[in-house]
Amino acid sequence: MMDVIAESKTRVLQGRDERRNQTIPSQSPEERDRLVHAFHPDYKKEEYHRIRIGPNAGERTVREVAELLESDSSLPDNLDLTPQYRVDVLVVGGGGAGATAALTAKAQGAEVLLVTKLRLGDSNTVMAQGGMQVAITENDSPVTHFFDTLRGGHHKNDPKLLKVLVEEGPMAAQWLIQLGVLFDRDENGNLKTKKGGGSTQPRLLTCSDYTGLEIMRVLKDEVLNRQIPVLEFSPVVELLSDADGTCTGAVLKNMDNGQLIVVAAQSVILATGGSGRLHIEGFPTSNHYGATGDALVLAYRLGARLSHMDTFQYHPTGSVYPEQLAGALVTEGIRSDGGHLVNQDGRRFINELDTRDVVAAAIIRECAEGRGVKTPAGRVGVWLDVPMIDLLIGEGSIAKRFPAMVRQFQRYGMDIREEPVLVYPTLHYQNGGVAIDVDGQSQVKGLFVAGEASGGLHGRNRLMGNSLLDLIVFGKRAGVAAAQRAKEARVRKLTLTHVTRFRGELEKNNIKPARVAPIILPDYVRREEAPPPRPSRSLINQTPYRISPRSD
Ligand code: MEZ
């Protein structure tokens, strides 16, 4: 088998001169439609199920999400809900959207508590390696950014959300720069930009291939500097509501000792990210371990409508080999800088900067029709000819522009400056999520949602770099609106009435939940035996809001 791979690799090397000057046109709208309908996982009808209860009843989504929405709560109806914390704004999620929302709400004068499943910063934000889109160059404008994104999303984006995103983009970038994010600059000190798939202008601000990580580094520091209390290893297992169905807080679970923690809040912001760890349609994922779609199930049980839950993003270039890296991201920045996608025969088969759904569908087609390359572990992929970048723009470019990628493969003895890598689509992003308005307000009073957990902005296919912008722009808006609401709101009851009601609906519809959710962590990271309880390591900044420790 290694011989077959080596032979195919030789064809890749031999074809370089011919490919160098080859132009592959973008797909026409008709070709694009045909390709995605035939090969993109979003269009596999047999994988889709009808949602039977709740605000989206009657709509279709993938089996994994349908099961999540029809799952049971882990809590009994009669839990003691005496709160240990009482805050103005509870932010759930320690990624970019959560940190931004917390900082903004705090700047508005709100008492904020940030709680997160793993550590502050463990999130999909750091997976957006290749850049953040912002219209700042002379030939660009928010209008152009708007239409690129709309085309990329198959015209299914919520135009109100999209207008806010593109118009507030430059301010969001300015805010990050002021906080200390070190975007790449040219020799004159001007911000560098590059082009992402589906974009007509270069508008990606980058920090080599560490963009999301660099943004998260700065946001995390700022949360700590501003002394925002943070509870780590404390995922939300249920939201709380009053008799009117308004969100009034949440129940957390301390992952160290299993104890439940009740938090009363005037406003709750869900920023728990996406759902790659559901491994929809069996795909590997680029997502971090905590990406189990928690916001979807928490908000849904409380009555919030979801949007676009029939579409997911499969990033075209997930790593296929070595096996330890299966599903890990190989940034789109590589294709943006000239990396070619090449099939088993050494031929290019798609414009590498077409939109992600199109490129992913084209790779799946190549493999399905026998033009892919099999790995010893039985995976299949096509070549991403990374060394083409040094040939096209100069020796040393790969090392300089993609230090994270180089290091990622070096760990397994592979040098991407010298050899192509095998790639196949990996589950990367949830295009849909909890429906929000321009202030991040869901359909449930008191419940705000920001970042990947929310839905509608990206339509049926997100453009590269729009997620980093999304989480800053809408993290800020949710932070302001949640803090504002907290000023006006009154003290409300803490109940699990909505859980009782939801269980009633399950029963009435004869639905036996297939699982308990939020899932918290995928099954394969769950340990067989629970570790002995240990003192909690979760509180980072001492909080002034704690009411009293529980005696139980
Ligand atoms: O926005 C993204 O998903 C992104 C920048 C990913 C990447 O390929 O680097």
Side-chain angles (χ1 to χ4, degrees):
M1 172 163 286
M2 287 316 265
D3 286 352
V4 179
I5 299 178
E7 272 169 33
S8 174
K9 205 187 272 186
T10 307
R11 282 194 287 275
V12 175
L13 310 192
Q14 285 168 346
R16 277 184 184 150
D17 277 344
E18 196 187 321
R19 280 191 273 117
R20 200 182 178 121
N21 299 316
Q22 185 188 17
T23 313
I24 299 200
S26 283
Q27 303 276 293
S28 69
E30 296 74 32
E31 287 168 330
R32 181 185 178 196
D33 262 11
R34 265 201 305 277
L35 184 57
V36 294
H37 275 90
F39 292 100
H40 192 280
D42 271 2
Y43 298 86
K44 265 194 172 172
K45 287 214 171 62
E46 65 278 15
E47 298 288 343
Y48 278 73
H49 287 234
R50 199 173 59 82
I51 304 168
R52 291 174 288 180
I53 54 169
N56 291 68
E59 293 178 20
R60 297 182 84 77
T61 187
V62 286
R63 178 185 55 77
E64 294 81 356
V65 171
E67 269 181 20
L68 191 69
L69 300 183
E70 296 178 354
S71 62
D72 196 5
S73 171
S74 62
L75 298 185
D77 293 335
N78 59 355
L79 187 74
D80 173 10
L81 295 174
T82 312
Q84 283 119 304
Y85 297 92
R86 199 178 279 285
V87 297
D88 291 335
V89 177
L90 172 65
V91 178
V92 186
T100 302
L103 287 167
T104 315
K106 169 93 178 176
Q108 298 286 313
E111 286 181 340
V112 179
L113 174 63
L114 190 154
V115 301
T116 186
K117 180 186 291 187
L118 299 171
R119 288 163 305 186
L120 181 60
D122 284 339
S123 61
N124 284 347
T125 301
V126 301
M127 308 299 170
Q129 298 165 336
M132 178 175 96
Q133 294 230 22
V134 192
I136 52 160
T137 58
E138 222 175 296
N139 295 329
D140 202 3
S141 69
V143 174
T144 312
H145 188 181
F146 182 96
F147 283 110
D148 282 354
T149 306
L150 199 62
R151 232 183 348 264
H154 293 253
H155 297 263
K156 298 291 183 204
N157 319 54
D158 178 332
K160 289 201 196 84
L161 298 179
L162 184 50
K163 180 169 183 290
V164 167
L165 178 88
V166 298
E167 285 181 350
E168 296 184 6
M171 267 176 353
Q174 190 61 33
W175 183 69
L176 288 175
I177 290 167
Q178 276 162 359
L179 289 184
V181 172
L182 297 167
F183 288 118
D184 296 330
R185 292 177 183 267
D186 64 18
E187 47 293 350
N188 300 317
N190 297 319
L191 288 167
K192 280 189 185 169
T193 50
K194 73 182 192 186
K195 214 172 184 174
S199 299
T200 55
Q201 291 297 324
R203 72 169 74 86
L204 285 165
L205 300 181
T206 57
C207 313
S208 64
D209 56 350
Y210 286 113
T211 314
L213 193 62
E214 165 67 0
I215 290 175
M216 197 66 241
R217 173 187 74 80
V218 168
L219 291 175
K220 189 172 153 181
D221 272 2
E222 197 62 12
V223 167
L224 300 178
N225 289 342
R226 299 278 164 200
Q227 309 251 301
I228 294 174
V230 179
L231 284 172
E232 293 190 323
F233 301 102
S234 302
V236 166
V237 290
E238 203 58 68
L239 293 171
L240 295 170
S241 64
D242 69 3
D244 302 337
T246 297
C247 182
T248 54
V251 181
L252 330 175
K253 185 172 193 166
N254 182 323
M255 286 168 87
D256 284 332
N257 57 23
Q259 278 185 0
L260 297 175
I261 303 164
V262 176
V263 182
Q266 302 287 7
S267 305
V268 174
I269 303 176
L270 288 179
T272 55
S275 51
R277 290 284 159 183
L278 297 184
H279 294 288
I280 289 161
E281 299 189 31
F283 272 78
T285 184
S286 60
N287 286 190
H288 81 113
Y289 281 112
T292 50
D294 299 358
L296 301 177
V297 57
L298 291 168
Y300 199 67
R301 257 184 219 144
L302 190 41
R305 204 176 65 73
L306 308 181
S307 160
H308 292 73
M309 280 323 297
D310 57 342
T311 161
F312 298 84
Q313 179 155 85
Y314 301 82
H315 191 294
T317 54
S319 173
V320 166
Y321 182 86
E323 188 61 15
Q324 296 93 321
L325 287 182
L329 192 66
V330 182
T331 177
E332 186 168 327
I334 302 254
R335 282 174 283 132
S336 167
D337 281 353
H340 286 168
L341 286 169
V342 178
N343 65 17
Q344 190 203 49
D345 309 323
R347 292 188 199 292
R348 283 173 77 194
F349 51 88
I350 192 74
N351 180 315
E352 286 80 2
L353 287 186
D354 249 317
T355 52
R356 283 184 177 171
D357 54 347
V358 169
V359 180
I363 295 173
I364 293 171
R365 178 192 62 199
E366 292 302 294
C367 295
E369 294 180 353
R371 295 183 294 277
V373 179
K374 273 226 171 79
T375 72
R379 294 182 191 270
V380 63
V382 297
W383 296 107
L384 177 61
D385 193 7
V386 186
M388 211 55 212
I389 296 173
D390 276 4
L391 296 178
L392 290 171
I393 48 183
E395 187 94 5
S397 304
I398 298 169
K400 191 150 172 249
R401 295 177 182 211
F402 303 104
M405 281 297 109
V406 170
R407 210 160 294 144
Q408 171 167 296
F409 284 94
Q410 246 165 10
R411 274 194 215 119
Y412 301 96
M414 290 170 66
D415 188 348
I416 62 166
R417 293 166 300 181
E418 303 291 334
E419 52 180 335
V421 292
L422 284 174
V423 293
Y424 191 80
T426 182
L427 186 54
H428 183 58
Y429 194 82
Q430 128 195 321
N431 289 325
V434 184
I436 54 165
D437 70 9
V438 292
D439 291 318
Q441 169 74 64
S442 73
Q443 281 191 328
V444 171
K445 281 198 210 113
L447 182 64
F448 299 80
V449 186
E452 189 172 349
S454 68
L457 170 64
H458 303 290
R460 294 193 63 83
N461 175 63
R462 178 176 66 78
L463 292 190
M464 169 190 194
N466 270 348
S467 61
L468 285 179
L469 187 59
D470 169 5
L471 58 88
I472 303 294
V473 167
F474 288 98
K476 274 172 156 291
R477 284 187 155 247
V480 170
Q484 195 58 37
R485 181 176 195 283
K487 284 184 195 149
E488 294 154 8
R490 54 194 163 83
V491 176
R492 292 172 183 273
K493 282 217 165 108
L494 305 179
T495 79
L496 287 170
T497 312
H498 64 283
V499 174
T500 312
R501 196 181 322 116
F502 197 83
R503 283 188 171 135
E505 255 199 88
L506 286 169
E507 209 175 297
K508 203 169 85 197
N509 288 279
N510 259 327
I511 300 171
K512 302 237 173 318
R515 65 187 324 156
V516 166
I519 295 170
I520 313 294
L521 289 173
D523 293 340
Y524 49 78
V525 294
R526 233 169 247 150
R527 279 166 287 195
E528 285 294 303
E529 273 176 49
R534 56 183 165 184
S536 173
R537 61 197 151 147
S538 61
L539 191 62
I540 291 190
N541 289 323
Q542 279 301 321
T543 168
Y545 322 129
R546 196 174 173 98
I547 297 171
S548 60
R550 283 165 71 109
S551 51
D552 53 353

